[in-house]
Structures are given as structure tokens and as C-alpha cells.
Amino acid sequence: AQKVTQAQTEISVVEKEDVTLDCVYETRDTTYYLFWYKQPPSGELVFLIRRNSFDEQNEISGRYSWNFQKSTSSFNFTITASQVVDSAVYFCALSEVWNAGNMLTFGGGTRLMVKP
Amino acid sequence: NAGVTQTPKFQVLKTGQSMTLQCAQDMNHEYMSWYRQDPGMGLRLIHYSVGAGITDQGEVPNGYNVSRSTTEDFPLRLLSAAPSQTSVYFCASSARGREQFFGPGTRLTVL
């Protein structure tokens, strides 16, 4: 069965620091998708990125970057020069391709607190 | 384009009461699902649907029913509410092979 582990339950940084959120996954499938979602204090879930298992290229979007390494089953998320508005809970999730309906298995989430 | 909408936003029930959480999407997505979010546990799948008339169980289906008579709507029914069902409920929809879009959530308290 698939599993997603986010070992860091809470991280606190000071504004402008870089921070990396770890995500480790388990799956028996060779084809799958990985996701990151952000949940700000207002409670909604905001999609950040989707990556398929055949694409190990790192991705950068502004201050956000993602490092996907199949060899270590990890999909880590880095925020560069963090800002107070980055304070949120971040979820990593996995979806196996055979899985009817794109169902997601979520990690437990990492709460990021960025202090001014 | 409203995306995924959920009603109500908040609800308080007494043990044993029943109710329906509403979910609708206007993106013509095939797939819809319900998750519950409990502290420290991420989101867990309750039920999902891959199209009108087709539903299936997720990880934590006990105590919940669903139906999908139209592409747009996917209501979640609590048959006899229990305190263990106190949670935040999220509905989501997606196109085949794409990311899921989530509704704003319903915060349910069962006394």
C-alpha cells in the first residue's frame, strides 16, 4: 500500500531564511504522481505542484523549488527567502496511476511558521 | 466559475442525528471525492466517484453514504452522527490524470 511521510510536524524560521520541507513516499507502482498542497490559516487547500514519476527534473517557481529523487523516494520542497505569508500547513500527497479516480494519499503535514 | 462549493461551512449535530453535506463543482470533472481532516493525520479518503452513478469506498467509509446522480453533485450523508465524526470535511474534484481541486471545507462538530 502507498504511504507518505512528512517527518517534520512543525518548523519555525525567521523571515528571509530558506526552509526545506521533507517528503518521503512508499509505493509499489512504477508510475505515480506526487503533489504538494498548501493550507493557510484560512483553511482552504491550495494546489502547488504535480510531478509524475518519469520526470525527475527539479522545478522552480519563484521562491519555491522542488527536488524529486526516485532513488531515495523523496519529493522535498524548498522555500527561499521565506515570508510571513508562507506560514501554513504544507501537505505532500501521492496518487498511483492505476488508482481509479486520482485518489490521493496524504502525509500528515508540516506546519511552517515564519516569524517577522 | 465557482470551482468546488460546499455547504454548510459549519455544523453542530447531536449524537445520532443525520445530515447531508453538499458538494458541487462546475468544471465538468469526472472525478469527485470526500476527505476528512483530523489534527496531525493529514486528509483521509472517505468515498469517491469516477462518474455519475459510480461510487466506491475509500480508507474510512464507515458511517457515511454517498451517491452521484449528476456530474456536478456529490453529497455526503452521515447516517447517525457520532463524536468520532467531528472533523473538517473536504470535497474535491479533478479531471482524469490531473490535480484535485478542493472545496473550502465543512467544519462539523458532533456533541
Side-chain angles (χ1 to χ4, degrees):
Chain A
Q2 62 272 27
K3 184 179 177 183
V4 177
T5 302
Q6 295 178 254
Q8 306 149 307
T9 52
E10 272 193 21
I11 300 176
S12 181
V13 299
V14 176
E15 209 171 17
K16 297 184 184 171
E17 284 185 21
D18 299 348
V19 58
T20 295
L21 310 182
D22 297 332
C23 173
V24 174
Y25 62 91
E26 295 174 29
T27 175
R28 288 175 293 187
D29 208 358
T30 55
T31 307
Y32 49 89
Y33 295 104
L34 294 163
F35 302 81
W36 277 93
Y37 283 85
K38 174 182 179 180
Q39 187 175 44
S42 50
E44 73 271 26
L45 284 155
V46 178
F47 166 74
L48 295 178
I49 190 170
R50 167 182 173 269
R51 176 53 51 93
N52 77 55
S53 53
F54 293 115
D55 182 2
E56 286 195 71
Q57 278 193 328
N58 291 335
E59 175 137 353
I60 298 174
S61 176
R63 296 184 297 106
Y64 294 172
S65 62
W66 291 269
N67 182 288
F68 175 30
Q69 293 199 335
K70 271 179 107 164
S71 59
T72 56
S73 297
S74 64
F75 187 42
N76 296 337
F77 173 30
T78 297
I79 302 174
T80 302
S82 59
Q83 300 176 1
V84 172
V85 293
D86 295 327
S87 297
V89 180
Y90 292 87
F91 291 99
C92 181
L94 167 74
S95 177
E96 295 171 336
V97 167
W98 66 266
N99 164 353
N102 296 348
M103 294 307 106
L104 294 171
T105 297
F106 282 85
T110 297
R111 182 179 300 278
L112 174 65
M113 293 173 286
V114 182
K115 300 177 183 175
Chain B
N1 194 339
V4 181
T5 58
Q6 291 183 237
T7 55
K9 283 190 165 54
F10 301 95
Q11 183 70 49
V12 178
L13 292 177
K14 294 181 179 175
T15 297
Q17 288 184 314
S18 62
M19 79 159 294
T20 299
L21 307 185
Q22 301 291 346
C23 174
Q25 53 95 6
D26 61 0
M27 297 173 280
N28 203 31
H29 285 164
E30 288 177 86
Y31 301 149
M32 295 187 75
S33 51
W34 278 100
Y35 295 84
R36 59 178 287 173
Q37 182 178 19
D38 301 300
M41 298 187 72
L43 282 79
R44 292 181 293 166
L45 181 66
I46 305 171
H47 284 286
Y48 67 96
S49 169
V50 298
I54 307 169
T55 63
D56 206 346
Q57 296 180 351
E59 182 186 352
V60 288
N62 292 342
Y64 308 95
N65 265 356
V66 291
S67 59
R68 183 116 178 256
S69 55
T70 68
T71 299
E72 295 77 21
D73 300 299
F74 191 44
L76 178 73
R77 295 183 195 83
L78 279 69
L79 309 172
S80 177
S84 60
Q85 293 179 304
T86 294
S87 189
V88 181
Y89 291 85
F90 287 96
C91 179
S93 75
S94 70
R96 184 190 298 262
R98 302 301 306 179
E99 65 275 12
Q100 295 202 24
F101 292 90
F102 286 84
T106 294
R107 187 173 293 275
L108 175 69
T109 301
V110 182
L111 303 175

